[in-house]
Amino acid sequence: AFGRGWDPLRDPGRGVGELRAWRELLLGRGGDPGGLGMGARDGGLFGFGGGMDDDEADPMTRLLAGPVIRPLRSALTTRWNPTDPEPALRFFEAWAQVLPRATAEGLLHGVVLPRLRAAVDAWSPTADPVPIHTWLHPWLPALGAAMAPLWAPIRHKLTTALAPWHPSDASALTLLAPWRAVFGAKDWDTLLTRSILPKLQFALAELVINPANQVLDQVRWVLAWEPCVPAARMAALLEAAFFPPWLRVLHQWLSAAPPAPPPDLEEVTHWYLGWKSLFSEELLAHERVRRQLNVALDMMNQAVAGEGIQPPGASNAAAAAAGAASEVAAAAVAAATQGGGGGRSGGSEMEMSLREAVEAFAAAHDLQFLPKPGRAVEGLQVYAFGTVSVTVDSGRQVLRAQVGERWAPVGLDQLLEQHKQRLRAKSKTF
């Protein structure tokens, strides 16, 4: 039935009908389809062996060893390209009711999985044009948890590749989105925290709120990630990086004093509704987003009533600077605490998460973030962020930088600017 030179990957269905008849003869089942069809008993994706027990499979294994299994093993080992899963998948599907389950699993785990592992080792997120999920995910139903050891090297490569990434590049979203349902929740959170959420916050920090000529690019870059970022994380990100400047602009607009013309409240309402329309129903229903929008509505109502417009939020500059640093790490803190289970106390988790957020920011700007051995301030470890000394206060969720003889709360953008200023000052001394 097979003939010399048979390639099971090019002609996977050859001989299946004849060997199915031999299977029925050897097992004495008389071709009764009851209990023998695809998916009978626990045959996994393909229903291998139609429910044959190991003892029943022995005659079939001996029959198939030479004409089928040996050519298939050779083809999978020497000619099959793991980045093109279809030829191998078609074979296993065609032979689902003939191959004994133990034989099929031996091929999947002993030949296919090692080839996939080698392909993952050779894969480059930035150089390979074929997304890795397109050739790995089709094997999930057949291999399941056996593929779990592949995920860590994939995440490592993704994290490395994302270091220079900017949110304006949509290719990262295309690459990562299919993995949300595959990676465990904790691992997915860690990937977002280290490689995505800090960059999205930086993008929002670059957004200029200008009612006269609004550019929405940064907001659209961020909201495009909503399918991959849990609503609570996205709401926290908007609360930290978008709504404070947005509300300040609204307050300035409503509080315009002569000689500036009074605000057109109809135009303000249209502006407010335009921004609101950018957010999904899920985000609009979230308490954090709803609270910020209510602050805007309160200011608009005060303007209609002719009352004094209350400024949004606290005006304490130090608190604002400290808040900027802690909000950068909000997603990281949530990732650590949502991980659940045992481990460190809540405060320690927050400190690690804030430190990791700063570390990710430093890596994105090609800067070192390292502890300074033997140095501590008020019991807090001192770190070097480029040329600036900083501390992480987990209890107050504050990032502080050394400015002269004092330690002042800073946001990450301020910290980066201090580093650049010191570099410029050093360059002038030569």
Side-chain angles (χ1 to χ4, degrees), residues 296-365:
L297 287 174
D298 288 343
M299 288 193 290
M300 292 163 65
N301 289 332
Q302 291 164 10
V304 171
E307 304 171 356
I309 313 298
Q310 294 295 321
S315 59
N316 184 281
S326 64
E327 286 160 352
V328 168
V333 173
T337 55
Q338 185 171 324
R344 299 168 294 181
S345 65
S348 179
E349 286 176 348
M350 286 185 179
E351 181 174 353
M352 289 297 294
S353 298
L354 177 55
R355 187 185 69 200
E356 289 171 359
V358 180
E359 185 178 14
F361 181 78
H365 292 273

Side-chain angles (χ1 to χ4, degrees), residues 9-10 16 30 64 70 73 119 136 184 192 211 245 276 295 300 353 356 382 397:
L9 299 182
R10 289 181 178 272
V16 171
L64 298 173
R70 189 175 296 117
R73 185 181 294 273
L136 276 184
L192 290 179
K276 185 178 177 182
V295 171
M300 292 163 65
S353 298
E356 289 171 359
V382 176
Q397 301 184 46

Side-chain angles (χ1 to χ4, degrees), residues 63 85 186 197 252 270 290 325 350 382:
L63 179 64
K186 186 175 181 180
L197 294 176
Q252 293 167 3
H270 180 75
R290 195 168 61 246
M350 286 185 179
V382 176

